[in-house]
Amino acid sequence: AVRPAYAAPIASRLQRIAQASSSFKFTMLLSTAVRHAARQPSLRSLSTAAAKAAPTIKVEVNNAGPSAAELKEERKETMTKAAAAKTSGKSGWQKFVSGVLDVIRPACAAVHTPVMKVLDAPSRRRVEKAASVEDLRIAAEKRMHAMCYGYLAGGADEEVALRRSVDCYKDVELRHAVLHGVGHGEVDPSTTILGHEAKLPFFVTSCAGQRMFHADGEVATAKAAEKHGVRMALSQLTTSTFEDVREAAPNSAKCLQLYVWRDRALLKEVLDRAKEVGFTSLALTADFSWVGNRERETKTGFTVPPSYSVQQCVDAARSPAWTFDFMSRVPYGYKAVPDADFPAESLVDFIAQQMKPEFDWKDAEWLCQEWGDTGPVALKGVARGEDAKRWLDIGGKVIWVSNHGGRQLESSVAPFDVLPEVRKAVGPDVEVIMDGGVRRGIDVVKALARGADSVACGRAYLYGLAAGGFEGVDKALTLLSKDVHLAMGLLGCRTVAELKARGPEFMLHKQNSSFVYDNGTGLQPYFGAPPSKI
């Protein structure tokens, strides 16, 4: 039994515990606690007088839940378990081949430079001779492992949306100008993209895991973008660090692309890091909450991690430059995901679990608020005018028309086809970006004339990256830049503003597409009605 004389020491100890506590806040009277204790069989000798004499202690409680540090530790533990499960799930053959690669990797790295000069010589010649992005695509296909090329070049299902996104530009014809008086040095294709001046009206869009295409990955892309004065968007699933990319392209790498993830604490941590290293704009990829069905990846045997099947091993032997480069480098990881200190192949399940199909407008509004006044936030994946207007209503600033490279919904509308609807919905003063199917600079010019403020290029530069690293991306941007300058000159347009203003004047749209040219009112939707006269 507890004697009354112990009441004061108990009260003192409770007070010290309360003062030390940072996780719970509650209000109690010690007298109440003592009376409650007195009702217990083991404490019945505690006197009522002692309870009344006990001092009142006020202790505050906070029911805010786990702290940021606790959530971080929990996430690290989840990642560790996911990586361990992926590793333990490998077959005996996978573990054997992975072990062999780990053993020979230092030796391959030691002779990497002289060996790659020999193995990469054919691809370098292809890049040098390339006269178009299509030539770079062929060079990329010849250098890459077949399953990685299939991942890069493929689309959803039968790839109808992918082909339409490329072919739609052919539905537009342009009336060239004569006696326009524009000289070679008078064309100025500069514009403003996501709040920053850019020398060219197109930029390199984000793509996850670029080191899968070429070991130099995002850093090679960043260096080429910086050389050309082209803006660059970096993926949240970059395989190069924020710091490395920003160092390679301090003036170009300004936009971070985010996926719709479940863990808000994780997203906030990524946002805070992005702000610290100098990113000034954000792109929310809203068209990738569900993953499309990519039949080409099934046919090429694409797996993560590699299964080292007979097919994969044969394809590796057929692409010696890519394979030796892969064998010589430390396995890449997702460098922008906090605490992801594991190879990327080990975290595919964790990343998949983070995708949030039910991510909605309220989540998007929260994201805009978290980014604050750091810079504009773009909604990437817009294909409807109503969605564009709603984005502006919740605080978004930029509309990004896209169908995710035709990799999601089969038969999804080509961004170029829906561009007029989006522009009409938001008016002339809202910044509109478009991507999808761009393979030539003339595609960029047509998109600008049809309502885009700038154009994001994906596969066009990625084929260059896969074919030759920095030199390949440099070649792709050079080809696109020359095309833009030439087309603007032949149209008699000195500036991007003039090109956009005069677009309805010189654009003719074939009648077999979803839009036709309507004299006086521009491009209008056509769904079964008689086509307007051209």
Side-chain angles (χ1 to χ4, degrees), residues 277-317:
V277 299
F279 286 95
T280 57
S281 59
L282 204 61
L284 173 61
T285 298
D287 53 1
F288 192 66
S289 55
W290 290 56
V291 180
N293 176 42
R294 287 82 179 269
E295 292 180 5
R296 195 190 299 209
E297 294 177 18
T298 302
K299 294 176 182 178
T300 59
F302 183 84
T303 61
V304 179
S307 65
Y308 302 114
S309 64
V310 173
Q311 180 183 2
Q312 288 185 4
C313 291
V314 170
D315 288 337

Side-chain angles (χ1 to χ4, degrees), residues 197-230:
E197 293 296 321
K199 293 181 179 179
L200 291 164
F202 62 86
F203 64 98
V204 293
T205 189
S206 56
C207 177
Q210 292 187 24
R211 286 189 58 197
M212 178 171 62
F213 309 140
H214 190 282
D216 292 338
E218 293 85 358
V219 172
T221 298
K223 289 179 178 178
E226 187 77 4
K227 175 182 175 181
H228 288 266
V230 170

Side-chain angles (χ1 to χ4, degrees), residues 172-183 187 441-450 483-496 498-508:
V172 171
E173 296 174 341
L174 304 175
R175 292 192 272 206
H176 60 274
V178 296
L179 302 178
H180 47 63
V182 179
V187 172
I442 193 69
D443 300 338
V444 174
V445 168
K446 290 178 180 180
L448 295 172
R450 200 168 192 188
D483 281 355
V484 169
H485 278 85
L486 178 60
M488 289 180 64
L490 290 173
L491 290 169
C493 296
R494 289 180 171 83
T495 65
V496 171
E498 184 180 358
L499 175 67
K500 292 167 62 178
R502 292 175 52 195
E505 169 193 325
F506 57 71
M507 287 178 55
L508 297 176

Side-chain angles (χ1 to χ4, degrees), residues 458-527:
R459 289 185 179 90
Y461 84 87
L462 289 170
Y463 287 143
L465 173 66
F470 164 79
E471 288 78 10
V473 181
D474 179 38
K475 188 60 174 284
L477 298 182
T478 297
L479 292 171
L480 293 173
S481 177
K482 287 182 177 179
D483 281 355
V484 169
H485 278 85
L486 178 60
M488 289 180 64
L490 290 173
L491 290 169
C493 296
R494 289 180 171 83
T495 65
V496 171
E498 184 180 358
L499 175 67
K500 292 167 62 178
R502 292 175 52 195
E505 169 193 325
F506 57 71
M507 287 178 55
L508 297 176
H509 209 285
K510 294 180 182 178
Q511 298 177 7
N512 64 346
S513 181
S514 58
F515 291 88
V516 295
Y517 183 77
D518 188 333
N519 295 320
T521 59
L523 296 167
Q524 298 294 327
Y526 168 64
F527 301 105

Side-chain angles (χ1 to χ4, degrees), residues 155-160 292-296 406 408-410:
D157 298 336
E158 294 183 298
E159 301 182 351
V160 172
N293 176 42
R294 287 82 179 269
E295 292 180 5
R296 195 190 299 209
Q408 293 296 92
L409 175 66
E410 179 65 305

